[in-house]
Amino acid sequence: VSMDIEIDELGTVVAGHCSGPMFAVPGGGPSLDLLHSVAEAGMDVVLAHSEMSAAVMAATVGRLTGRPGVVTTIRGPGVAGLASGLAFASLEGDPVVSLSELLTDTGGTVHKWMDHPGLLAASVKQYGSCSIGRDVERAASLALAPRRGPVALGLSEVHFEPFRPSFRAADARSPAPVASDAVTRLRSALAGASCPVLVVGSGARHHDLGAWLAGLACPVGTTAAAKGIIPETSPNSAGVMTGAGGVAAPEGVLLSRADLLVRIGVHPHELLGPLLPASGPTIDLDPQALSLEVRASIGALLDRVDADFAALAANARGLRARLIEQEDFLPAAALATVASRVRGTPRLVTDTGDFCTVAEHVWSAADESGFLGAGSSRFMGTGIAMALACGLVDPGRPTVLAVGDGGIGPAFGELTLAVERRLPLLVLHLSDGGFASIRGRARTRGLSGRFTELPDRSWWRAAEGLGIPSATLGGTSTAEDLAAVLEAWDPARGPSFVSVRFEMEAYQRMTEGLR
Ligand SMILES: Cc1ncc(C[n+]2csc(CCOP(=O)(O)OP(=O)(O)O)c2C)c(N)n1
Ligand SMILES: [Mg+2]
């Protein structure tokens, strides 16, 4: 079938340049040969139920390991499904290499033919042909080049000119804009500022900045996508800032008094709205520019920061405590129970919804491996695939997935992987009976709740059917019941599922002042 594709060589190079496992929904052509060859080269292979989940898992592996994740599919509909997962990778800035089949039969069939560049134009950095190992090497290094993202390959005997989609500056694939004299400007701005705030973005991942950031005198926040890059236990950790935070959110408290905002590795796609100081400049820095020398000089200049202002960073911990101690049992209290009752050091993964806004402020991430979400794309329905990938990369670390009524459905079938691989995954289904984040908008716009309420779907029964020990909780004894479920869960023995039903109106109010 694939006489002129150097399949053995491809397997070796994929194993050498990408992080496993390889995720696949294979066909009968070169994608199948590739799986065999990759496995032969020692890389694990995971079959997914959908190309989108396969790509989201590969993207998450790429984010966690710092090397591209990898996925293989058939042509046409395979690439169409892949495109949505690569859109996730593109919006999140996660490195991925995909290898898809093309027409292998020159005998005239156009069965399943689709225009792959047309399907992929909005998501990938490049689409090119792949027949030898060198093609994979090039794709892997392009995926890692700033801004990280997906590169797609077609398994082809015939070499063709790569398709490089043109994209505008605002595109998620473009690197974050940084002025060439940013460090010089920063030095002079710092000399005149007494209330500076640093905000770290996803571009700072894998730069090992945590200890330096924690040692600075000024408040340091992160975007949601960069949560944990500064240890959130550090006294100067100022919480998560999204550009859409309300008066009670860390940015509402700090930026309203700041006279300088320094952003490190913040990509415009990470922000839900403008993130600006009350006065003074905003200076964007490239994490690559932070040599040890530059870090030392910035650190020395920051020693002049106003002490009362610096102390405002503690508001992040005050907010966490207030959310957890609310009278009603809500996702904040559930997450605090997770943090205290799950054995080991769990990583929290969140899907998208109001529970996620709360989780970003409540969860304390000791480092960048402590929290993972769709912080840039806010792509509902990607949580299950992200959490599964965390379990595959770190089988010794418990992963807890917080997911709502919206995100639980799209990739539910992928949970079979957690069962079959005995992944240390707890699915915490946080339900208010509908789309709280959309309901809030509907109400402010005077619309009824008609398209934001969902009937009870008993997902826990479906989980039970997949072989996952499951529980459903609600009502007054929920807090203790949840603690009991969490304590009974032994991550080493495989997944567990718990649905928690909250009172809708209290749930609806929990993000007041935060968004
Ligand atoms: C792919 C995608 N489709 C739609 C949306 C819009 N959206 C954002 S949150 C949400 C509903 C979330 O509901 P749920 O998961 O129950 O969380 P809740 O807001 O109730 O906490 C939707 C539909 C999205 N973010 N992503
Ligand atoms: Mg909901």
Side-chain angles (χ1 to χ4, degrees):
V1 181
S2 49
M3 267 161 27
D4 299 310
I5 303 179
E6 300 290 338
I7 286 288
D8 292 345
E9 187 186 306
L10 288 188
T12 311
V13 176
V14 164
H17 286 79
C18 301
S19 286
M22 172 175 259
F23 298 95
V25 185
S31 62
L32 189 59
D33 299 330
L34 183 63
L35 288 187
H36 283 275
S37 132
V38 158
E40 193 72 19
M43 186 181 265
D44 188 12
V45 168
V46 163
L47 300 185
H49 294 282
S50 84
E51 288 78 2
M52 171 165 168
S53 294
V56 173
M57 289 192 276
T60 306
V61 166
R63 189 184 317 174
L64 289 171
T65 65
R67 296 206 312 169
V70 59
V71 48
T72 188
T73 76
I74 66 162
R75 66 177 177 256
V79 174
L82 176 70
S84 55
L86 296 185
F88 169 85
S90 166
L91 291 168
E92 294 293 338
D94 293 334
V96 177
V97 173
S98 71
L99 301 105
S100 300
E101 294 185 356
L102 274 167
L103 282 179
T104 48
D105 177 1
T106 45
T109 177
V110 290
H111 177 63
K112 287 196 176 76
W113 181 89
M114 287 184 84
D115 171 18
H116 289 182
L119 285 169
L120 296 167
S123 301
V124 304
K125 295 166 113 184
Q126 180 170 304
Y127 175 71
S129 59
C130 179
S131 56
I132 55 170
R134 187 84 191 92
D135 298 325
V136 175
E137 273 181 54
R138 286 206 191 96
S141 65
L142 180 58
L144 288 174
R147 184 181 189 224
R148 293 179 174 197
V151 176
L153 297 173
L155 292 160
S156 166
E157 294 140 48
V158 188
H159 175 82
F160 56 84
E161 274 309 301
F163 163 73
R164 276 209 129 160
S166 59
F167 41 86
R168 296 182 303 158
D171 196 288
R173 292 165 287 186
S174 303
V178 172
S180 56
D181 60 346
V183 173
T184 319
R185 282 183 55 214
L186 175 65
R187 284 206 180 96
S188 65
L190 275 175
S194 58
C195 301
V197 176
L198 249 67
V199 175
V200 183
S202 66
R205 284 183 199 134
H206 301 294
H207 276 83
D208 210 12
L209 294 177
W212 173 66
L213 292 167
L216 296 176
C218 77
V220 178
T222 70
T223 62
K227 186 174 165 66
I229 288 186
I230 172 167
E232 294 193 302
T233 45
S234 168
N236 68 329
S237 165
V240 168
M241 306 192 187
T242 60
V247 285
E251 68 208 74
V253 175
L254 275 170
L255 292 185
S256 56
R257 304 192 206 182
D259 59 7
L260 169 64
L261 177 62
V262 184
R263 309 194 297 193
I264 301 175
V266 174
H267 192 276
H269 267 266
E270 290 177 67
L271 299 176
L272 300 166
L275 194 65
L276 295 167
S279 63
T282 297
I283 297 178
D284 279 297
L285 288 184
D286 180 352
Q288 312 271 10
L290 296 174
S291 63
L292 292 178
E293 191 194 333
V294 172
R295 291 184 209 182
S297 80
I298 294 175
L301 282 166
L302 279 169
D303 282 340
R304 293 179 219 153
V305 57
D306 182 286
D308 291 337
F309 177 75
L312 291 175
N315 175 65
R317 277 159 298 288
L319 173 63
R320 175 176 303 140
R322 280 198 305 284
L323 287 168
I324 292 170
E325 283 155 19
Q326 276 168 69
E327 210 172 302
D328 297 294
F329 184 73
L330 288 168
L335 291 168
T337 310
V338 165
S340 63
R341 303 298 178 102
V342 169
R343 306 177 203 187
T345 313
R347 169 192 274 130
L348 184 70
V349 174
T350 67
D351 203 87
T352 287
D354 275 359
F355 62 89
C356 162
T357 301
V358 167
E360 286 165 2
H361 296 304
V362 162
W363 191 256
S364 179
D367 58 43
E368 59 186 284
S369 76
F371 180 91
L372 191 140
S376 297
S377 64
R378 305 283 171 179
F379 200 144
M380 188 187 74
T382 54
I384 287 178
M386 288 191 284
L388 290 167
C390 289
L392 290 166
V393 171
D394 289 321
R397 180 173 192 173
T399 296
V400 175
L401 168 66
V403 59
D405 305 287
I408 188 71
F412 193 86
E414 304 292 349
L415 288 173
T416 49
L417 183 65
V419 180
E420 285 148 19
R421 298 270 180 135
R422 287 188 166 215
L423 299 181
L425 170 63
L426 178 98
V427 180
L428 184 60
H429 174 219
L430 303 169
S431 175
D432 64 310
F435 299 156
S437 34
I438 310 298
R439 187 191 299 124
R441 301 286 165 87
R443 287 184 180 177
T444 46
R445 294 176 53 207
L447 297 169
S448 79
R450 208 171 142 204
F451 301 118
T452 61
E453 311 315 331
L454 302 170
D456 178 14
R457 286 171 176 164
S458 301
W459 286 103
W460 65 278
R461 282 188 211 277
E464 191 83 50
L466 294 181
I468 304 176
S470 303
T472 176
L473 309 175
T476 46
S477 61
T478 310
E480 298 86 77
D481 292 347
L482 180 61
V485 168
L486 298 176
E487 272 168 19
W489 178 47
D490 179 0
R493 299 186 57 194
S496 179
F497 188 104
V498 55
S499 262
V500 185
R501 178 60 195 258
F502 300 95
E503 200 277 306
M504 187 203 280
E505 291 306 325
Y507 189 100
Q508 195 65 49
R509 285 191 303 270
M510 72 186 179
T511 50
E512 275 172 13
L514 297 178
R515 278 291 294 271

